[in-house]
Amino acid sequence: MTTKVDLKDQHSEREMDNDLLADALVRLSTIAKHLNISSHTLQALSQPLCTLTSYISIRKDNGESAYFKAYRCRYNSLLGPTKGGIRFHPSVDQSEVEALALWMTLKCAAVNVPFGGAKGGISVNAKSLSALELERLSRSYVRAMADFIGPQTDIPAPDMYTNERVMGWMMDEYETIKRVKAPDVITGKPLVFGGSVGRTGATGTGAFLCIEALAKKRNWQKHKQTVAVQGFGNGGAQCALLLQKAGYKVVAVSDSKGAIYSPEGLDILSILYEKQKSRQLKAVYCENSVCELVSHKVLTNEELLALDVDILIPAAVAGVITEANAGLVKAGTIVEIANGPVSAAADSILHEKGVFVIPDILANAGGVIVSYFEWCQNRQGELWSEEQVTTKLSDYIHKAFEQGWQRHVSTNIDMRDAIYAQALERLTLAIEAHGTHDYFNAN
C-alpha cells in the first residue's frame, strides 16, 4: 500500500497567504484527491526539479551599477525538455517562478505537448530601464543561466514585459557564449532569427479558440455575449480583438492603471491604436489616423472584476480573484488567460455560484503550443506558413478542450478538474513507465 501524499499539509495557512507555489500545490492536492490520482504523481510534483537563483548586474546609462535578483526553475522534465517564459516584473520571486513552472508542467501535459515545465524571471521594473539597459539586463541574465538552459534541456520564451526583441538578444548571447548557432534555444524570437509566424498572438488566439469551442457547446448567440477583459497586454488584447471581430460585445478592458467600460461595447482596434500612440487606455473610435473619444466610464480593476457580464477574462497577473472578492463575481464564465488568476480558496466559492471556468493550463496554452511549433521548425530547418501554424494550433486546442469537455459532462466535475485530470494522467503514465513501488513489488 502506497502512502498518501497531501501537499496541503506541507504548507501552513500563513505561508499560503503570500506563497504562490503553496497555493498552487494546495489546489493540485485538492483536485488530485477528487480524481484519485496516484500518490507517485503527487510526490513527483511536490517539489521543483531544480531552481537556479542569481544576482546579476548591469552598468546603467549614467555609469552606476545596478543589481537584480534573477531566477530560472526547471520544475519537471518527465515528458521532455522543460519549457517556459521569462518575465521582467517587480513581483518576481522564487515562489512565483516555481508556481508558474508547475503550471507549465501541467499545461504541456494537458495539451499533449512533449515538454516539461519551466519558468524564469528577474525582479525589476522594466519600464524604468532604457532600451540599452534592457538589452544589457537580458544578456546578463543569459550569462548567468547559460549552463542551465539549452535546446534539449530548457527552452525559454517571452512572458510579462519581455518580447521577441528581448528573446533575440538572449539567443544571440547564448550563441556567443556557446560558440554555436542555436535558434532552437529560445522561442518567441523575431522571424528573421527563426521565429514562427503566429507566435506573438498565440496566447490570446488560444483563449479565443476555447471560447469559440464553448460557444458551440452552449449554442450562444455571440452578439448577446458581453465580455470584460482585465489586462490589456499581449494575450488580453489579442483575445479581445478576436472576440470583437467574431461578434461578441467587449464592454470593458483594463491595464495596470485602470479600466474603461461602455455597455454599448468598445472598439478594440481603436483602443489598441490609441494605447500604442499615447500609452493611455481610452475608449475611442479611429478612422485612419483620426481618433474620436467616445462615451465611457472609468473603473478600477477591482470594479471590472465585479461587472455584470457573461464572460470575464482575467489576463493580467496571478491572484486577482480571491476568497475576499470571489463572491462579487457576476460573470457566468471565466476564461483564465493570466497564470493563476483565481486562488485555490476562491475556486469553491465560484463553484457554488455556478461559474464555469476554463482554466489557465488550457486557456493560455496557445503560447506554448506555438512555441513548440517554433522549436520543431528550428530543429527541422523549416519555416511553416501562417495557415499551417493556425490549423495546427486550432487542432491542439480543440482536441484538448473536447477531451476536457467530455470528461466534464460524463463525470459531472468542474472543467478545471477535467483538464487537470488529463494532465495528471499523462504524467502518471510517464511515471509508471519508469516503474513504481507496485511494479517493483510485483503487484
Side-chain angles (χ1 to χ4, degrees):
M1 181 71 68
T2 57
T3 302
K4 290 187 177 181
V5 177
D6 188 350
L7 303 183
K8 184 174 181 179
D9 292 342
Q10 300 178 14
H11 302 274
S12 69
E13 293 297 330
R14 181 187 60 79
E15 286 177 316
M16 286 183 282
D17 287 341
N18 51 24
D19 187 329
L20 197 60
L21 178 61
D23 190 74
L25 289 172
V26 167
R27 168 178 284 154
L28 177 62
S29 180
T30 302
I31 292 174
K33 280 183 179 179
H34 294 161
L35 302 172
N36 197 28
I37 296 297
S38 163
S39 62
H40 303 296
T41 304
L42 282 182
Q43 285 177 325
L45 296 173
S46 65
Q47 297 290 339
L49 182 66
C50 46
T51 302
L52 178 61
T53 64
S54 177
Y55 278 108
I56 61 177
S57 65
I58 63 168
R59 182 74 64 184
K60 299 195 73 175
D61 293 342
N62 63 7
E64 293 182 356
S65 292
Y67 295 84
F68 306 92
K69 196 69 174 290
Y71 307 88
R72 185 71 186 174
C73 172
R74 300 203 305 255
Y75 202 96
N76 185 285
S77 59
L78 275 169
L79 299 179
T82 55
K83 186 84 185 69
I86 299 170
R87 56 175 52 186
F88 292 174
H89 194 270
S91 70
V92 169
D93 60 21
Q94 185 170 334
S95 171
E96 179 185 62
V97 167
E98 290 177 346
L100 292 166
L102 168 59
W103 287 325
M104 182 61 80
T105 301
L106 296 168
K107 187 185 307 181
C108 292
V111 297
N112 204 22
V113 166
F115 284 143
K119 208 72 177 184
I122 302 176
S123 180
V124 59
N125 178 8
K127 295 179 181 179
S128 69
L129 301 179
S130 71
L132 284 173
E133 289 168 343
L134 188 63
E135 179 180 4
R136 293 179 201 127
L137 184 67
S138 303
R139 292 180 180 275
S140 183
Y141 181 84
V142 174
R143 287 195 293 273
M145 305 292 170
D147 293 328
F148 201 69
I149 64 174
Q152 295 177 314
T153 307
D154 178 30
I155 306 109
D159 199 279
M160 191 181 299
Y161 291 105
T162 59
N163 55 26
E164 63 176 26
R165 187 182 298 276
V166 171
M167 295 303 108
W169 290 330
M170 289 185 172
M171 184 196 76
D172 180 67
E173 190 66 24
Y174 181 86
E175 291 180 339
T176 300
I177 293 168
K178 297 295 184 178
R179 299 181 183 274
V180 294
K181 279 295 177 184
D184 49 346
V185 72
I186 297 274
T187 61
K189 309 176 295 290
L191 290 175
V192 70
F193 295 148
S196 175
V197 293
R199 174 60 185 87
T200 302
T203 301
T205 300
F208 168 73
L209 291 170
C210 288
I211 295 169
E212 285 284 82
L214 182 61
K216 289 181 181 179
K217 301 295 184 184
R218 296 278 178 83
N219 294 315
W220 281 344
Q221 292 180 280
K222 297 178 186 178
H223 69 282
K224 293 184 178 180
Q225 299 299 307
T226 55
V227 183
V229 181
Q230 192 246 356
F232 206 60
N234 180 42
Q238 172 73 3
C239 186
L241 185 61
L242 291 173
L243 286 169
Q244 187 189 29
K245 287 182 177 179
Y248 298 82
K249 186 185 289 187
V250 182
V251 298
V253 296
S254 73
D255 61 12
S256 59
K257 298 176 183 176
I260 53 175
Y261 168 67
S262 174
E264 289 76 29
L266 299 167
D267 186 69
I268 301 302
L269 190 60
S270 294
I271 295 170
L272 272 170
Y273 176 86
E274 182 64 22
K275 184 170 173 63
Q276 290 169 354
K277 186 178 74 172
S278 67
R279 297 184 178 274
Q280 293 182 318
L281 200 64
K282 296 178 181 177
V284 295
Y285 176 76
C286 299
E287 190 70 40
N288 297 323
S289 61
V290 178
C291 293
E292 177 185 349
L293 193 68
V294 298
S295 177
H296 67 278
K297 186 176 181 180
V298 176
L299 305 175
T300 65
N301 272 279
E302 292 73 22
E303 289 172 327
L304 180 145
L305 295 172
L307 283 175
D308 188 5
V309 294
D310 297 300
I311 304 170
L312 174 62
I313 304 178
V317 295
V320 295
I321 299 176
T322 66
E323 190 175 15
N325 66 356
L328 302 176
V329 172
K330 299 181 182 67
T333 300
I334 293 177
V335 182
E336 298 180 333
I337 291 183
N339 290 298
V342 178
S343 73
D347 267 341
S348 59
I349 298 172
L350 295 176
H351 175 75
E352 290 174 7
K353 289 167 62 70
V355 180
F356 184 88
V357 179
I358 301 180
D360 50 359
I361 65 170
L362 174 60
N364 67 23
V368 73
I369 292 170
V370 178
S371 276
Y372 169 58
F373 297 164
E374 182 177 331
W375 183 76
C376 289
Q377 292 170 74
N378 295 156
R379 304 281 291 175
Q380 298 162 5
E382 295 182 356
L383 181 62
W384 298 353
S385 68
E386 186 172 358
E387 182 181 1
Q388 283 177 289
V389 172
T390 302
T391 300
K392 286 177 179 289
L393 172 60
S394 181
D395 287 345
Y396 270 77
I397 291 290
H398 281 113
K399 186 174 182 179
F401 182 93
E402 186 63 27
Q403 289 173 343
W405 178 264
Q406 292 303 325
R407 191 187 300 263
H408 158 68
V409 171
S410 63
T411 62
N412 196 31
I413 60 174
D414 288 346
M415 192 67 168
R416 188 190 301 283
D417 289 8
I419 298 299
Y420 265 65
Q422 64 195 46
L424 291 169
E425 284 177 0
R426 287 194 179 110
L427 289 162
T428 299
L429 287 174
I431 291 168
E432 290 177 346
H434 286 294
T436 62
H437 174 273
D438 292 339
Y439 170 81
F440 289 113
N441 284 272
N443 294 322

